[in-house]
Amino acid sequence: MAVDEGVAPATESGDGTTVHRLKPNAVGLLGVVFMAVATAAPITAMTGNVPFMVSSGNGVGAPASYLVAMVVLAIFSVGFTSMAKHITSTGAFYGFISYGLGRTVGLASGLLATFAYAVFEPALIGIFSTFATTTLKDQTGVHVPWWAFAVLMLAINATGTWFGVSVAEKLLVALLATEVTVLAAMAVSVALHGGGPHGFTFAPVDPVNAFKGTSAGLGLFFAFWSWVGFESTAMYGEESRDPKKIIPKATMISVLGVGVFYVLVSWMAITGNGEAEAVRAASSANPLAMFFGPTERYVGHWAVDVMQWLMISGSLACGMAFHNCAARYLYALGREGVLPSLRSTIGRTHARHGSPHIAGLVQTAVSAVLIGAFWAAGKDPYTGTYVLLAILGTMAILVVQAVCSFAVLVYFRSHHPESRHWFRTFTAPLVGGVAMLAVVVLLVSNMGAAAGPESGSLVLKATPWLVALVAATGIGCAQYLKRRSPDRYALLGRTVLEETKER
């Protein structure tokens, strides 16, 4: 399909109507990597998850948890990227699963993925608002209510999506570079000083220790949680240059690059404190001391101040990336006309910027409603909004990842038997799918502990049922279309770039 790089193309769908496309060739390999890594939010994952893993999970074995998770996710990505070489669609999981396991399972998975990313944005708005309010008060004495920062982030995210992926990419590159730099500075400084007060310790990276501690399952779950969103690379296939090569590379770079970074930073944070001291710091009233302590000792107090501000920008980058993901899933569902009215609304792209601008505004409205609801219910933006919505979204996306692995198995057997490989298209997706299901079990069995003070929340108790309801809605809609509108049913998950379709 030949397209003008300066405009968003439009093509004819199977039923003769116009399908609006995203702007092609808008982002390269590094841009896709940055968009994916932003969803992982390295500084938020480290400062938010590691202290909890050390205090209540697998103790000093937290870095080993990241090592285990990296290996599992790399195996999952082998099958995922094999399929990305054949199918390029902004719907990612939606398109992959539709081709592998059929349109009905595809629509259910597409709704689940959309649901997950839709609730991730308000979750990140909650933690962003908390970081911003706390840091501003601590460093300047000025108190600004958290909801003011929530409104600011909603506006920034909506604006970034409106003007296209290239604008969002530039913002994310700047935000990510700074947060990665300050964490790396702490880790490298500890290493150059020969370790912490007791020298180097290798117990934190011993894989055996990932399965020890107060609650190894909780620690492992938080490790996997820290990667949520890495698979978003596939969503930018239609907007990237040479997607068949870029998307597989970007996915593996994201998984392995983030994994090595997580292992190194968490290992040096524990080493910089000392093992016993790290556990005490993580269990204290100020668990961030686990990172602030070695940063101040080996880099300087200024770096602690900078780190606090970067926790704000890091959560902003993460929320912005999730907003882009949700908008693209909404757009992917809309342009195929699951409901006819959606094709002319959320299924449209901006005439100039080639962005899913209406879908982005819809996602902004969804986030605003959820933030308002949690505020009206008196929930704390961090312990309530962030934690509860993050757990809800994580359960949904883990289920979709597992289903996607099994879709890879079927896809290469039925569509491309000549491309089947004992590891890439069979063993890797099978192991990845089983491992993803195991992580879902870890989440369900540790939800109460992960939610902390919100362990008795109605939202938490309803989480598995909400996920099941969304999936059932997708199955029901697909079956309705199959019986009443076969032409629309035939389009489900089938809008892909022609030059990469069915190679």
Side-chain angles (χ1 to χ4, degrees), residues 117-123 125 154 157 319 323 326 360-374 385 389:
Y117 289 118
V119 301
F120 278 140
E121 184 187 359
I125 289 175
L154 283 169
N157 289 349
H323 179 87
L361 292 178
V362 170
Q363 172 57 23
T364 297
V366 170
S367 295
V369 168
L370 287 173
I371 288 290
F374 275 75
T385 306
L389 290 180

Side-chain angles (χ1 to χ4, degrees), residues 7 17 30 33 99 111 126 141 166 185 232 242 266 296 317 322 335 369 386 398 473:
V7 299
T17 56
L30 288 180
V33 170
Y99 270 96
L111 286 181
S166 58
S232 63
D242 198 0
S266 58
E296 182 162 7
F322 279 131
R335 71 181 179 182
V369 168
Y386 169 69
L398 286 175
T473 300

Side-chain angles (χ1 to χ4, degrees), residues 8 25 45 146 152 167 170 177 199 215 222 231 240 265 293 309 357 373 394 407 411 429 466 475 485:
N25 304 311
W146 71 265
L152 174 64
V167 173
K170 291 178 176 63
S215 176
F222 269 89
E231 73 292 333
S240 66
V265 171
W309 288 103
H357 60 307
T394 298
Y411 176 78
L466 288 172
I475 293 172
S485 185

Side-chain angles (χ1 to χ4, degrees), residues 61-303:
S65 292
Y66 284 111
L67 193 60
V68 170
M70 178 176 67
V71 172
V72 170
L73 291 173
I75 292 173
F76 163 83
S77 297
V78 169
F80 183 74
T81 56
S82 294
M83 202 160 183
K85 293 176 182 177
H86 292 274
I87 301 294
T88 297
S89 170
T90 197
F93 286 137
Y94 172 44
F96 289 9
I97 295 171
S98 292
Y99 270 96
L101 296 178
R103 295 167 174 82
T104 298
V105 180
L107 183 57
S109 300
L111 286 181
L112 271 178
T114 305
F115 175 76
Y117 289 118
V119 301
F120 278 140
E121 184 187 359
L124 267 296
I125 289 175
I127 198 171
F128 165 81
S129 302
T130 299
F131 286 159
T133 300
T134 303
T135 299
L136 196 65
K137 186 173 183 180
D138 289 348
Q139 296 195 18
T140 69
V142 177
H143 175 70
V144 176
W146 71 265
W147 56 262
F149 289 109
V151 172
L152 174 64
M153 185 168 174
L154 283 169
I156 291 174
N157 289 349
T159 302
T161 300
W162 183 278
F163 287 104
V165 70
S166 58
V167 173
E169 174 199 356
K170 291 178 176 63
L171 289 172
L172 291 173
V173 166
L175 295 175
L176 275 174
T178 50
E179 66 176 277
V180 168
T181 298
V182 74
L183 285 171
M186 180 277 293
V188 171
S189 295
V190 171
L192 292 178
H193 281 83
H198 311 299
F200 276 106
T201 173
F202 291 92
V205 289
D206 182 349
V208 174
N209 289 330
F211 303 94
K212 295 182 179 180
T214 306
S215 176
L218 184 64
L220 285 166
F221 162 66
F222 269 89
F224 280 93
W225 188 357
S226 301
W227 260 277
V228 164
F230 80 91
E231 73 292 333
S232 63
T233 51
M235 294 180 209
Y236 300 102
E238 294 185 20
E239 298 163 276
S240 66
R241 308 177 192 105
D242 198 0
K244 285 199 303 170
K245 293 182 179 179
I246 280 182
I247 301 309
K249 286 182 180 178
T251 304
M252 294 306 296
I253 290 172
S254 300
V255 171
L256 298 177
V258 167
V260 170
F261 185 77
Y262 283 169
V263 172
L264 177 63
V265 171
S266 58
W267 178 21
M268 289 301 102
I270 291 173
T271 299
N273 283 282
E275 288 186 23
E277 294 88 342
V279 174
R280 283 199 295 272
S283 305
S284 68
N286 180 25
L288 290 175
M290 182 182 162
F291 282 90
F292 291 163
T295 299
E296 182 162 7
R297 188 177 307 118
Y298 298 107
V299 183
H301 181 72
W302 65 270

Side-chain angles (χ1 to χ4, degrees), residues 303-360:
V304 175
D305 290 339
V306 171
M307 186 178 286
Q308 286 184 291
W309 288 103
L310 293 180
M311 288 164 63
I312 301 173
S313 63
S315 54
L316 172 62
C318 185
M320 185 184 301
F322 279 131
H323 179 87
N324 276 281
C325 292
R328 277 156 181 77
Y329 262 106
L330 285 169
Y331 157 76
L333 291 168
R335 71 181 179 182
E336 293 183 346
V338 176
L339 295 176
S341 60
L342 297 182
R343 182 172 286 166
S344 60
T345 52
I346 63 173
R348 292 184 62 85
T349 54
H350 194 281
R352 178 180 177 186
H353 305 299
S355 61
H357 60 307
I358 299 177

